[in-house]
Amino acid sequence: MSSVWRVADVVDTRMETPTARTIRLRIPGLHGHLAGQHVDIRLTAPDGYQAVRSYSIASGGGLGALEPHQLPDDELELTVEELADGEVSPYLVRGLMNGDQLEVRGPVGGWFVWRPGDTTPVQLIAGGSGVVPLMSMARAHAAADSTAPFRMLYSVRAPFSRYYTDELASLAMNSAPLEVDYIYTRQAPPGSDAMPGRLTAEGLMQRVLPASDSPTFFICGSTPFVEAVSGWLVDAGHDPARVRTERYGGVGGTP
């Protein structure tokens, strides 16, 4: 972890959804990161006013693991969801350009992380943009050709809200496969037999690794989503010590 603010160069950007953008940064002095960590971004207005927000890292990380798309150790990617009333995210999604610079601090975090040497079965559970740190883990898992069973349950409003659609499909066919299951809360894909609706305790238990496998859970999403899912898991007999959570937030959290 670095507590020093550094100037990062914007290397590339791409839209993931109509309201979410992936930003690739080159950060002098960065030597990789752990899958699941985040960084702080600071913007300074002409009058000196500053706003700081934390954003999860989407890329798989260095520190012994190669990137699926071969990012150098001094680069990382963030995926930012635009908030209508946000101070930082609208600029990052709509205003930032290749060649611009950002002030960055981090990477930060050591609890909500996955390390390639861990062979414990893993169940990822994402709500909306909470998929970002979990995608970092999925990418690191594939890059390490890990033998650990990996599954993802991804709750989104509609098909157009999904992040990383093509890559998630590709990871399912990787030599270290990722099983992906979607829950659509408002609109299901055309031709789908599933009715849209929120995740329930019963639906969750049908889609996650059983307690008998002793999996580690990584859950990220809104506070109500995270609290409901983690509570259902504990009620179903999963070890609370293996249920790790992150919530949307500002400084020190995930977006």
Side-chain angles (χ1 to χ4, degrees), residues 116-177:
D118 189 351
T119 59
T120 304
V122 169
Q123 177 71 60
L124 310 172
I125 304 177
S129 61
V131 73
V132 177
L134 309 187
M135 189 63 180
S136 176
M137 297 178 190
R139 285 168 165 164
H141 176 259
D145 203 20
S146 171
T147 59
F150 246 60
R151 294 177 64 172
M152 178 185 289
L153 179 60
Y154 186 8
S155 175
V156 293
R157 293 181 178 181
F160 62 81
S161 302
R162 298 181 303 192
Y163 292 13
Y164 322 119
T165 301
D166 292 341
E167 187 176 355
L168 283 173
S170 177
L171 288 175
M173 298 181 288
N174 193 276
S175 58

Side-chain angles (χ1 to χ4, degrees), residues 2-24:
S2 173
S3 60
V4 177
W5 287 100
R6 292 178 284 188
V7 177
D9 296 310
V10 178
V11 177
D12 193 21
T13 64
R14 63 182 181 274
M15 298 300 292
E16 295 288 348
T17 75
T19 58
R21 189 186 199 189
T22 290
I23 302 164
R24 180 177 296 188

Side-chain angles (χ1 to χ4, degrees), residues 52-228:
V52 179
R53 297 292 183 271
S54 295
Y55 293 100
S56 294
I57 300 171
S59 45
L63 303 180
L66 294 176
E67 288 290 317
H69 42 292
Q70 299 298 312
L71 289 188
D73 277 355
D74 63 348
E75 293 185 8
L76 55 76
E77 288 185 343
L78 314 174
T79 301
V80 178
E81 178 76 25
E82 181 180 15
L83 303 178
D85 58 350
E87 289 186 306
V88 176
S89 63
Y91 170 71
L92 297 181
V93 175
R94 305 294 176 185
L96 196 68
M97 299 179 64
N98 292 355
D100 286 348
Q101 293 184 318
L102 292 172
E103 285 188 287
V104 178
R105 181 175 61 189
V108 179
W111 167 249
F112 194 80
V113 298
W114 181 81
R115 293 174 172 84
D118 189 351
T119 59
T120 304
V122 169
Q123 177 71 60
L124 310 172
I125 304 177
S129 61
V131 73
V132 177
L134 309 187
M135 189 63 180
S136 176
M137 297 178 190
R139 285 168 165 164
H141 176 259
D145 203 20
S146 171
T147 59
F150 246 60
R151 294 177 64 172
M152 178 185 289
L153 179 60
Y154 186 8
S155 175
V156 293
R157 293 181 178 181
F160 62 81
S161 302
R162 298 181 303 192
Y163 292 13
Y164 322 119
T165 301
D166 292 341
E167 187 176 355
L168 283 173
S170 177
L171 288 175
M173 298 181 288
N174 193 276
S175 58
L178 170 72
E179 296 184 38
V180 183
D181 193 6
Y182 290 95
I183 294 288
Y184 298 95
T185 61
R186 296 189 182 180
Q187 178 187 337
S192 173
D193 295 330
M195 293 293 293
R198 293 187 180 277
L199 184 64
T200 64
E202 180 181 4
L204 177 69
M205 292 305 114
Q206 293 173 350
R207 293 173 170 86
V208 299
L209 292 166
S212 58
D213 287 356
S214 298
T216 297
F217 289 86
F218 292 95
I219 310 166
C220 187
S222 67
T223 295
F225 177 87
V226 170
E227 290 183 350

Side-chain angles (χ1 to χ4, degrees), residues 204 219 225-235 243 245 247:
L204 177 69
I219 310 166
F225 177 87
V226 170
E227 290 183 350
V229 170
S230 57
W232 293 335
L233 291 172
V234 172
D235 290 345
V243 179
T245 62
R247 296 163 171 79

